[in-house]
Amino acid sequence: MERIILYSVLSIIIICNEFVYASDCNIKYVFKENEEVKIADCKNKGLTFIPQDLPGDINVLDMSFNLLRMIWNSSFVNYKYLQELYLSHNQLCYLSNKSFEGLQKLAILDMSENLLNLSKVYSAELFHPITNLTKLDIRSNMPQPIDFVTDYIYSDHAFSILTELSFLRIDMMPLPHFGSGFGKMTIIKQLHFDSCYLVRLSNRTFQRFSSSVEQLTLRNCRLHFVVTEDNALLPFPKLRVIDFFGTFMHLKHALQLLHPYCNKNITTINFGHVSDVSIDRADIPYVLTITVDIMKNLKTICVENLDLSENGIVDYEPGSLFSFNHPKCLRHISFKRNRFMLFSDKNLNEIQIFFSKTVKLKSIDYSYNAVNYVMKNSVTSNSDLNCSLHSCVILPKSLEKIYLSYTIANTFPIIYLIVPKNNSLIYVDVSYSNSNIAILILQIRVETFISNGGDYSFAWNQLKRSSYNTLKTIVWKNADKMMQ
């Protein structure tokens, strides 16, 4: 009897505390798409239960960064106008079958960064009240697995009812098996696997998903070397964004996955750091020379944003890395943290031809590279500089940003990068670089110039010719030489 009384008292205290905490929630109004939205901001209040005394007409409830462990039946029935519910960064490990009862208008549900086991928590009835859901985020719930050899069965019977879903962010297990229920998400556009333990990307991995997917994220799968099969992306003919950054499968294998998209338009291909020294093998060496064969798929694709950073690239064959069939498509390209010479005597003409065709190129990132090269020949080009005496490359007029920070690039003789008149260049970063590659800006339009840890003379010689009408930001810190 005493235990029962004590338990009752403790329960009353907890419930009373919840009402106290609830009163701490901030109720605010914002305009979203010309409509007034009522928000209950209950973030980081130490709450262990869903408060029941909030206004019944709230549209958004943010319960993230609290201490929730369970969601009981009918926890949200008082809030039938909820459109967005945020439960991330709690300690959720249990959801009752009717946790979301009464939330017929719910469109966005975020339960990321919790302890919700994919194989145990999601019952067939769980999502029945919220079939209008368009965005579901349940990433970062699964702990690092120990067993890498057994197929992991996803609860497709729970997810099959979410036919209006257009966005899904979920954990990726080592050997995933997605059942036929996932194919009923026929209008899904974005599929993201941010918490990733994948060890094999096979031709069957995505075969159950709808062909409607346009964005695929498979980031930081580095628990184990990811074995790939060339047709793994074949179920997604409409892909426009492919983001595999930090997934260790080797650049050569990643580029082989692109064959379904030959001669198609892709907005973004992010294969940054898909090679790593930890997976260095004789057949897939980390120190990599890009060949014509490695580029055979990528070169045919009309790609706007391309990231090949941090992949151990030390060289490239003529007719490979800069031989795109559709160079006019390129907007942004990143080669940072590699070790190849961007401009050398064997490819200077090829680079110049490439730049002359990239009429929409906005940015080049060649930061964190370190090379030394002795030129055997020079290249002539039409410019204000006498290129009969120097090796010159004219950069495209469309270029807006150049990143050359932390770069060691010493050539003999000096290479001149010429930014022509009527250019679009507004941002230059040459911080902590040791290079004798000269940049000649024929008409200054730069708004931001960053030259930390370098030689002041380069920046000063460039900018003293300017009227300073365009400059908004100049950053010169820890430099080696004072202005003359």
Side-chain angles (χ1 to χ4, degrees):
M1 180 63 69
E2 290 179 354
R3 288 184 178 181
I4 294 175
I5 294 173
L6 179 60
Y7 179 79
S8 300
V9 171
L10 289 174
S11 298
I12 292 171
I13 292 173
I14 291 172
I15 292 172
C16 289
N17 282 337
E18 285 302 315
F19 280 103
V20 172
Y21 283 130
S23 65
D24 288 338
C25 295
N26 299 319
I27 307 300
K28 55 187 178 182
Y29 298 86
V30 298
F31 278 93
K32 193 174 184 180
E33 298 179 356
N34 297 322
E35 291 186 5
E36 188 178 63
V37 177
K38 193 172 186 178
I39 301 173
D41 184 354
C42 303
K43 292 194 304 289
N44 200 22
K45 301 293 184 181
L47 298 174
T48 58
F49 292 94
I50 304 299
Q52 298 299 307
D53 66 341
L54 299 172
D57 59 345
I58 56 174
N59 308 115
V60 179
L61 175 56
D62 190 345
M63 292 288 300
S64 56
F65 294 95
N66 279 291
L67 304 174
L68 301 175
R69 293 183 58 83
M70 303 177 183
I71 304 293
W72 299 106
N73 287 342
S74 307
S75 292
F76 301 102
V77 290
N78 292 338
Y79 311 120
K80 61 181 180 180
Y81 296 103
L82 269 188
Q83 298 171 8
E84 302 178 20
L85 176 58
Y86 299 95
L87 301 168
S88 66
H89 294 87
N90 278 277
Q91 300 170 17
L92 288 174
C93 59
Y94 175 77
L95 303 172
S96 67
N97 289 342
K98 297 183 179 180
S99 290
F100 304 114
E101 187 177 17
L103 297 181
Q104 282 78 12
K105 294 187 177 182
L106 194 68
I108 297 175
L109 176 59
D110 184 351
M111 297 190 292
S112 61
E113 302 285 350
N114 280 287
L115 305 170
L116 298 170
N117 192 300
L118 276 167
S119 63
K120 298 177 181 179
V121 172
Y122 300 97
S123 66
E125 300 83 10
L126 179 65
F127 293 132
H128 277 220
I130 53 175
T131 55
N132 292 321
L133 206 65
T134 60
K135 182 175 180 179
L136 177 63
D137 189 344
I138 52 174
R139 75 187 189 279
S140 300
N141 273 270
M142 297 298 293
Q144 180 174 314
I146 299 175
D147 187 0
F148 292 167
V149 297
T150 304
D151 281 1
Y152 189 90
I153 309 299
Y154 282 73
S155 302
D156 67 309
H157 57 277
F159 295 94
S160 62
I161 199 169
L162 299 176
T163 57
E164 299 298 314
L165 210 63
S166 62
F167 177 105
L168 176 62
R169 182 170 277 150
I170 191 171
D171 295 345
M172 176 67 90
M173 302 308 286
L175 296 173
H177 178 80
F178 298 99
S180 59
F182 284 89
K184 295 182 180 180
M185 302 176 185
T186 55
I187 62 172
I188 191 167
K189 302 296 184 185
Q190 297 188 41
L191 187 57
H192 303 280
F193 300 97
D194 287 356
S195 301
C196 184
Y197 306 111
L198 188 68
V199 300
R200 184 177 184 84
L201 182 60
S202 75
N203 297 340
R204 296 186 300 171
T205 301
F206 298 123
Q207 67 177 355
R208 297 289 192 178
F209 282 93
S210 169
S211 62
S212 60
V213 175
E214 296 177 0
Q215 296 187 34
L216 177 64
T217 299
L218 196 69
R219 293 176 66 96
N220 297 314
C221 311
R222 54 182 63 181
L223 185 63
H224 193 277
F225 173 65
V226 180
V227 177
T228 62
E229 295 182 7
D230 289 354
N231 290 323
L233 301 184
L234 204 57
F236 300 138
K238 299 178 182 179
L239 275 187
R240 293 297 175 267
V241 175
I242 306 172
D243 186 354
F244 286 4
F245 182 86
T247 290
F248 293 167
M249 59 177 59
H250 199 273
L251 181 60
K252 179 180 178 180
H253 292 167
L255 293 174
Q256 287 172 347
L257 293 172
L258 295 176
H259 81 87
Y261 310 105
C262 288
N263 300 306
K264 292 188 177 182
N265 297 333
I266 299 288
T267 303
T268 298
I269 297 175
N270 188 346
F271 285 164
H273 200 189
V274 293
S275 294
D276 189 76
V277 68
S278 66
I279 56 173
D280 185 29
R281 298 189 330 210
D283 56 331
I284 46 170
Y286 176 66
V287 176
L288 180 66
T289 295
I290 300 295
T291 65
V292 174
D293 184 64
I294 288 175
M295 285 289 294
K296 65 182 180 183
N297 296 322
L298 177 58
K299 70 173 294 183
T300 70
I301 299 173
C302 177
V303 57
E304 295 182 17
N305 310 301
L306 177 62
D307 190 338
L308 300 179
S309 59
E310 203 169 352
N311 279 309
I313 302 173
V314 295
D315 202 358
Y316 58 96
E317 294 178 353
S320 61
L321 192 57
F322 294 97
S323 294
F324 289 88
N325 293 357
H326 308 283
K328 293 181 180 181
C329 298
L330 278 166
R331 304 290 194 279
H332 308 279
I333 189 165
S334 176
F335 298 121
K336 67 180 179 182
R337 296 185 185 273
N338 284 291
R339 292 293 182 269
F340 68 94
M341 183 64 196
L342 189 62
F343 309 103
S344 64
D345 59 337
K346 67 180 180 180
N347 59 46
L348 214 55
N349 279 316
E350 184 176 81
I351 289 286
Q352 183 61 77
I353 293 171
F354 169 75
F355 280 148
S356 68
K357 294 180 179 180
T358 54
V359 294
K360 297 180 181 179
L361 189 64
K362 300 294 184 184
S363 70
I364 298 175
D365 192 343
Y366 189 68
S367 53
Y368 292 87
N369 275 276
V371 291
N372 290 278
Y373 201 88
V374 176
M375 308 284 289
K376 297 183 178 63
N377 303 299
S378 61
V379 175
T380 60
S381 181
N382 294 323
S383 71
D384 288 3
L385 182 70
N386 184 0
C387 287
S388 62
L389 302 176
H390 304 279
S391 294
C392 303
V393 174
I394 301 177
L395 299 176
K397 291 183 178 181
S398 60
L399 202 62
E400 295 178 356
K401 297 182 179 181
I402 298 177
Y403 301 89
L404 291 171
S405 59
Y406 294 91
T407 297
I408 301 173
N410 295 307
T411 66
F412 183 80
I414 295 174
I415 295 176
Y416 282 85
L417 305 184
I418 303 173
V419 181
K421 292 181 179 179
N422 300 317
N423 63 77
S424 304
L425 190 65
I426 59 173
Y427 185 100
V428 178
D429 186 353
V430 292
S431 299
Y432 299 99
S433 292
N434 182 0
S435 173
N436 66 346
I437 294 178
I439 302 177
L440 179 61
I441 306 174
L442 299 184
Q443 186 175 7
I444 300 289
R445 299 176 183 270
V446 174
E447 296 179 3
T448 301
F449 201 104
I450 303 176
S451 184
N452 294 331
D455 188 332
Y456 272 157
S457 60
F458 167 65
W460 180 246
N461 288 335
Q462 290 289 339
L463 299 180
K464 68 182 180 181
R465 301 183 295 105
S466 169
S467 63
Y468 299 96
N469 292 330
T470 61
L471 279 168
K472 297 178 180 178
T473 304
I474 303 176
V475 183
W476 288 340
K477 297 179 179 178
N478 304 317
D480 296 329
K481 185 182 294 184
M482 295 302 293
M483 294 181 292
Q484 302 295 323

